[in-house]
Amino acid sequence: MIQPQMPETKHWSFRRDVENLGWLTINTPGAPVNTLSREAIMELETLVERFEDLASSHELVGVILLSGKDSGFIAGADVSEFDAMSDFSVLPEALKRTHALFARIEALKIPVVAGIHGFCLGGGLELALACHYRIAVNNDKTRIGFPEVNLGIFPGFGGTGRSIRQAGPVDAMQIMLTGKMLRAGAARGMNLVDKLVRHRDMLAWEARKAVLGKRKSREAALVKKVMGMGPARSYVANKMREQTAKKVRREHYPAPYALIDLFEAHGNDWRAMIRGETERFVPLMGSETATNLRRVFFASESLKKLGAKGAKFARVHVIGAGVMGGDIAAWCALKGMSVTLQDLDVERIQPALDRGKKLFKKRLRKKFEVDAAELRLEADPTGKGISRADVIIEAVVEKLEVKQSIFGGLEDKLKPGAILATNTSSIELERIAEHLKQPERLIGLHFFNPVAQLPLVEVIRSTFNTDAEIGKGAAFALAIGKSPVVVKSAPGFLVNRVLMPYMLGAVQRVEAGESKELLDAAAVAFGMPMGPIELMDTVGLDVGKSVATELGHAIPVESKFATLVKDGKLGRKSGEGFYKWVDGKAQKGETPDHADLAGLGRELVKPLVDMTEVVVGEGVVPNADLADIGVILGTGFAPFRGGPLRARQNGKA
Ligand code: NAI
């Protein structure tokens, strides 16, 4: 088979077969996932030029775009280039070029078909949408969506208009505004994909049929398009603004609002939408929010590289089936591990198994998966799982003697190389490990409550540990889908240490007569996910008080805080704390007016930022970047501000 003369490319390979079908494969060199870097786009330009020639001379009947990587199709544009691209002088030109390229692909006289497996996100989806037909593998790995909002932008390669053309305004805007990743079936349901196949190896055959049959994707049905027409559009745009406002504020996260404005202006005409895209996109890319969110993105990506290579974790044994131990055990079972859960008797373990069942039902889709997860989580009151476990996590009551005696009794039973960890939130590891024969084996794996929701695990390093134990601990956290930040064994570690002065500061102001509603509203206006008083109620006043005492903060006996604890008013879990709680919601009164709410929020957050500086200064975390990401993941601290230290650097905290 004589191959046509093609340009040299690093990111793409091309082959024409006997039927004159062109097989174009993307394979980003030296990277685990494909991205659309500027170089990849420029190479694609040269290829498309050839496709135009070959099509007009009838030497090519169609192009099939596939990925050469197991990880998926294309994960998006290359985010590492974004900082350079946020330069206003180059960005519009670069976007214009990509828009022109995608339009040329769309205008090719021969069918262009995308075959999708795994991740097809952001710029990758935009490229797929510029093809004439899309086929996706219908398995658990396929993920299709626009995660751009998470980076403070929206789709910039024409995806705004093309997704509306395919899915209609309501569905398309929904996925762009939320950044939600769709499974293959849902993407098909929205008409973002035209055909599903069961296996990756069926993509090529189906794509060939699509080209030879000159199949072309259909636009969204009229009933869907109607919502973008006439006065309906403004109504829909306003609804979207209302929904968005429930989650984020315009001054913090401008991207979704800018996208809604774009939709309101042009949502009835997908081409006009694309034409208007760049003008609204460019200022977002250079904004402080986007710059900070990119930094958070890179910091969380860097945490993924922390773990020791090759460590395998099949069996986990958890001691203590209370709030934390029970939820940690269930989480590990959810993530595919076999878990034995120990407590003083089976009766104390049962509630944890019941909670586990609820979690599995919520997170797993198929009944057989739920059943399998239930089987993986086993009550083990006698500790028979200890000798087989790859990881042992202790989460019993916060008492030194109890913890010491548990570890003392374990040491001789362990499998060689097993991780030995405590979930203590305040006791120094050195003291727990004091009497161990191999004190270097004990690390901390400090989870946060609720385990299923908070992504951070502080991997606590004692003076006895070496890199080997810590690397394994981090690898385990990653294996269960959590983000590890390595922290020195010092009271409060990172997150509790910085949270306490912030929450207590607010509690003191409430004690002095200030409105809790106002303080909470102010922290939210600053960008916190919830205010400090509501947070204290959520954590539990008893837990808060004991951590505060452990960290040396005095809580006067006659204070409101101490009285609430004494009266069993422990916050959300008991139905009353500083607030009354109904159905998991704090019952708030009127918020008094305040001239500078965000300014007040900034004042409230100051002790947290100050303490983060102290913690970095003491070397509890190795550097400012890790402190910032740890505080964001562990407390929800305003990600758009880039973390407490970045916020201070930018003069925002
Ligand atoms: P919890 O009181 O809910 O559970 C402790 C469990 O340990 C109870 O079920 C108890 O029966 C069991 N237990 C006591 N002695 C035992 C023994 N000798 N053998 C086996 N089981 C025994 O406590 P929680 O809140 O789950 O805390 C557990 C640990 O996790 C503590 O070290 C705490 O500091 C830490 N932690 C707690 C957080 C929270 O928000 N509650 C957050 C992060 C860490």
Side-chain angles (χ1 to χ4, degrees):
M1 177 71 208
I2 301 167
Q3 291 297 328
Q5 190 71 35
M6 296 302 283
E8 285 269 322
T9 50
K10 287 195 266 176
H11 299 256
W12 311 86
S13 57
F14 179 81
R15 175 180 68 82
R16 187 178 61 175
D17 69 12
V18 281
E19 294 180 295
N20 276 345
L21 283 164
W23 297 87
L24 176 66
T25 306
I26 178 165
N27 205 339
T28 304
V33 293
N34 291 322
T35 49
L36 281 184
S37 60
R38 281 211 272 181
E39 191 177 60
I41 285 171
M42 284 189 312
E43 287 183 359
L44 186 58
E45 271 176 356
T46 62
L47 287 163
V48 169
E49 202 169 318
R50 283 297 286 142
F51 298 158
E52 288 164 345
D53 295 344
L54 292 166
S56 58
S57 57
H58 306 291
E59 291 169 90
L60 195 62
V61 298
V63 177
I64 294 161
L65 168 59
L66 296 169
S67 153
K69 289 207 200 289
D70 291 340
S71 57
F73 183 69
I74 300 172
D78 183 349
V79 182
S80 67
E81 291 179 343
F82 282 17
D83 278 325
M85 298 256 286
S86 61
D87 175 356
F88 290 170
S89 60
V90 297
L91 184 58
E93 196 47 45
L95 290 170
K96 209 167 128 193
R97 222 170 139 167
T98 310
H99 276 204
L101 170 65
F102 284 17
R104 275 168 79 185
I105 293 173
E106 209 160 48
L108 276 171
K109 297 279 180 301
I110 49 173
V112 184
V113 174
I116 298 162
H117 73 277
F119 290 110
C120 173
L121 303 174
L125 177 54
E126 298 185 276
L127 173 57
L129 286 171
C131 298
H132 303 127
Y133 196 77
R134 287 158 288 283
I135 303 165
V137 180
N138 189 13
N139 68 10
D140 247 15
K141 294 200 175 119
T142 301
R143 290 288 184 283
I144 294 173
F146 288 118
E148 282 87 345
V149 276
N150 301 322
L151 290 173
I153 52 176
F154 57 67
F157 292 165
T160 57
R162 288 195 181 92
S163 63
I164 284 185
R165 178 189 67 193
Q166 294 305 126
V170 175
D171 286 348
M173 287 295 285
Q174 185 66 16
I175 58 166
M176 287 189 279
L177 289 171
T178 56
K180 201 172 140 201
M181 290 195 253
L182 304 173
R183 288 169 190 268
R188 170 75 196 90
M190 283 190 189
N191 198 38
L192 292 169
V193 164
D194 302 288
K195 175 100 193 165
L196 299 179
V197 293
R198 259 178 294 139
H199 298 290
R200 183 178 167 193
D201 50 16
M202 291 161 77
L203 278 179
W205 176 250
E206 201 58 49
R208 173 185 170 275
K209 279 204 301 194
V211 168
L212 298 179
K214 294 200 170 48
R215 288 192 206 147
K216 206 162 181 328
S217 180
R218 272 177 291 124
E219 295 189 6
L222 188 64
V223 291
K224 286 193 163 190
K225 283 193 196 164
V226 166
M227 298 312 278
M229 292 171 183
R233 194 163 70 253
S234 277
Y235 173 79
V236 170
N238 282 331
K239 277 271 164 246
M240 287 171 182
R241 282 190 194 102
E242 270 171 36
Q243 289 300 324
T244 306
K246 282 188 196 149
K247 287 189 275 174
V248 295
R249 293 166 185 242
R250 192 176 201 131
E251 68 269 28
H252 296 163
Y253 293 96
Y257 293 94
L259 178 61
I260 298 169
D261 295 345
L262 174 65
F263 166 73
E264 189 165 28
H266 302 296
N268 58 335
D269 175 353
W270 67 270
R271 288 189 180 84
M273 186 103 176
I274 294 181
R275 282 196 299 275
E277 194 182 80
T278 302
E279 188 193 333
R280 286 186 160 87
F281 178 92
V282 171
L284 293 173
M285 187 71 136
S287 68
E288 203 171 299
T289 292
T291 313
N292 288 335
L293 290 176
R294 284 199 291 278
R295 180 165 173 269
V296 172
F297 170 78
F298 286 120
S300 20
E301 287 294 296
S302 75
L303 298 182
K304 294 187 184 150
K305 299 188 186 119
L306 270 180
K309 296 260 166 341
K312 290 257 178 314
F313 312 99
R315 291 175 188 280
V316 181
H317 183 76
V318 180
I319 308 174
V323 176
M324 293 304 287
D327 286 3
I328 294 167
W331 182 260
C332 294
L334 177 75
K335 292 291 162 178
M337 291 169 196
S338 296
V339 185
T340 39
L341 178 56
Q342 184 178 355
D343 206 301
L344 299 171
D345 47 49
V346 179
E347 289 68 41
R348 288 177 219 239
I349 303 176
Q350 194 55 47
L353 302 184
D354 296 342
R355 288 205 309 279
K357 205 167 165 175
K358 272 197 199 146
L359 175 77
F360 305 147
K361 279 196 180 143
K362 200 165 147 198
R363 298 287 181 110
L364 299 170
R365 295 185 329 147
K366 305 204 172 86
K367 182 167 180 314
F368 78 86
E369 292 172 332
V370 175
D371 293 345
E374 272 181 56
L375 287 174
R376 286 196 297 270
L377 177 59
E378 202 188 324
D380 179 16
T382 55
K384 63 179 170 34
I386 293 172
S387 56
R388 287 181 297 163
D390 304 302
V391 187
I392 294 177
I393 304 171
E394 168 277 314
V396 303
V397 280
E398 189 74 339
K399 291 209 175 98
L400 178 63
E401 328 74 73
V402 183
K403 291 190 193 281
Q404 279 180 337
S405 99
I406 283 177
F407 284 112
L410 276 180
E411 220 183 353
D412 293 332
K413 300 185 195 155
L414 299 179
K415 201 165 119 174
I419 293 179
L420 191 58
T422 171
N423 182 47
T424 180
S425 39
S426 59
I427 307 175
E428 279 161 69
L429 258 64
E430 288 81 356
R431 291 167 68 200
I432 304 177
E434 220 165 44
H435 305 299
L436 293 183
K437 289 179 207 145
Q438 292 177 288
E440 69 279 9
R441 287 194 76 166
L442 183 73
I443 61 167
L445 288 176
H446 187 221
F447 289 80
F448 291 82
N449 186 10
V451 174
Q453 275 155 41
L454 289 171
L456 181 68
V457 171
E458 290 178 329
V459 180
I460 314 297
R461 180 174 189 141
S462 80
T463 46
F464 300 127
N465 295 137
T466 68
D467 290 348
E469 289 94 33
I470 296 303
K472 256 197 225 170
F476 171 67
L478 289 168
I480 55 168
K482 297 286 176 191
S483 303
V485 170
V486 179
V487 182
K488 243 200 239 169
S489 170
F493 312 128
L494 167 65
V495 169
N496 285 342
R497 178 100 176 266
V498 305
L499 269 183
M500 240 345 117
Y502 159 65
M503 293 201 290
L504 290 177
V507 166
Q508 267 166 17
R509 293 175 79 134
V510 173
E511 304 251 358
E514 287 186 55
S515 151
K516 53 186 184 302
E517 284 84 0
L518 177 64
L519 298 181
D520 279 348
V524 173
F526 172 84
M528 303 303 275
M530 70 168 69
I533 302 298
E534 191 175 345
L535 181 62
M536 187 61 106
D537 265 7
T538 306
V539 167
L541 267 57
D542 51 341
V543 176
K545 184 167 175 272
S546 81
V547 176
T549 315
E550 198 67 44
L551 288 174
H553 300 280
I555 314 285
V557 193
E558 62 286 358
S559 65
K560 183 167 186 198
F561 185 15
T563 311
L564 286 169
V565 176
K566 188 159 63 62
D567 296 346
K569 295 182 174 165
L570 305 180
R572 184 183 165 152
K573 60 185 167 190
S574 71
E576 187 176 348
F578 285 97
Y579 290 104
K580 282 208 167 54
W581 288 76
V582 178
D583 295 334
K585 281 211 167 75
Q587 304 301 298
K588 294 189 179 174
E590 283 287 301
T591 306
D593 285 337
H594 191 277
D596 180 15
L597 210 51
L600 175 60
R602 192 175 154 162
E603 212 177 283
L604 291 172
V605 167
K606 185 174 177 297
L608 184 158
V609 185
D610 290 345
M611 190 51 84
T612 311
E613 280 181 352
V614 171
V615 167
V616 173
E618 289 175 0
V620 173
V621 265
N623 58 50
D625 281 359
L626 285 169
D628 273 346
I629 189 72
V631 175
I632 290 172
L633 295 176
T635 73
F637 185 98
F640 72 94
R641 298 213 186 271
L645 299 177
R646 170 54 59 113
R648 179 153 288 173
Q649 211 178 28
N650 287 337
K652 297 285 160 57

